[in-house]
């Protein structure tokens, strides 16, 4: 399934704790959370993981062979780690 996206290309990264920037280094989301700082940082990580989560979800849906599914599951695990702030290893 070929999907055309119009969002800022990934990967996205958290900058200064609460801002999210795209691969082009433009701000995708600017932090402004009114609650605890830890919540704002967690929100930024989740937003930054959005392109990776989308790509992994698409790969899972498109998987036709067990090898494809194993690769997609690995992408999902890495994207979840990015979203939750866990260390992502190659």
């Amino acid at each position: 399934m070929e999907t055309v996206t119009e969002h800022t290309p990934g990967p996205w990264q958290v900058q200064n704790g609460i801002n999210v920037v795209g691969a082009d280094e433009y701000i995708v989301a600017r932090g402004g959370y009114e609650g605890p700082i830890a919540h704002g940082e967690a929100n930024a990580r989740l937003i930054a993981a959005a392109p990776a989560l989308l790509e992994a979800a698409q790969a899972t849906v498109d998987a036709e062979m067990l090898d494809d599914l194993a690769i997609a599951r690995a992408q999902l695990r890495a994207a979840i780690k990015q979203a939750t702030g866990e260390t992502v290893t190659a």
Side-chain angles (χ1 to χ4, degrees), residues 39-66:
H39 289 182
E41 291 171 344
N43 293 342
R45 285 192 306 271
L46 183 58
I47 293 166
L53 289 165
L54 175 60
E55 182 179 348
Q58 288 171 327
T60 302
V61 169
D62 293 344
E64 295 180 12
M65 308 283 285
L66 287 178

Side-chain angles (χ1 to χ4, degrees), residues 12-89:
W12 294 356
Q13 296 183 347
V14 177
Q15 184 181 69
N16 300 326
I18 56 174
N19 294 324
V20 177
V21 296
D24 56 8
E25 298 189 14
Y26 288 105
I27 293 176
V28 173
R30 190 178 306 274
Y33 183 69
E34 296 282 332
I37 291 172
H39 289 182
E41 291 171 344
N43 293 342
R45 285 192 306 271
L46 183 58
I47 293 166
L53 289 165
L54 175 60
E55 182 179 348
Q58 288 171 327
T60 302
V61 169
D62 293 344
E64 295 180 12
M65 308 283 285
L66 287 178
D67 289 345
D68 295 339
L69 187 56
I71 293 167
R73 287 173 52 103
Q75 286 178 302
L76 279 170
R77 281 190 208 95
I80 290 168
K81 284 183 177 185
Q82 180 186 357
T84 60
E86 293 180 48
T87 301
V88 178
T89 55

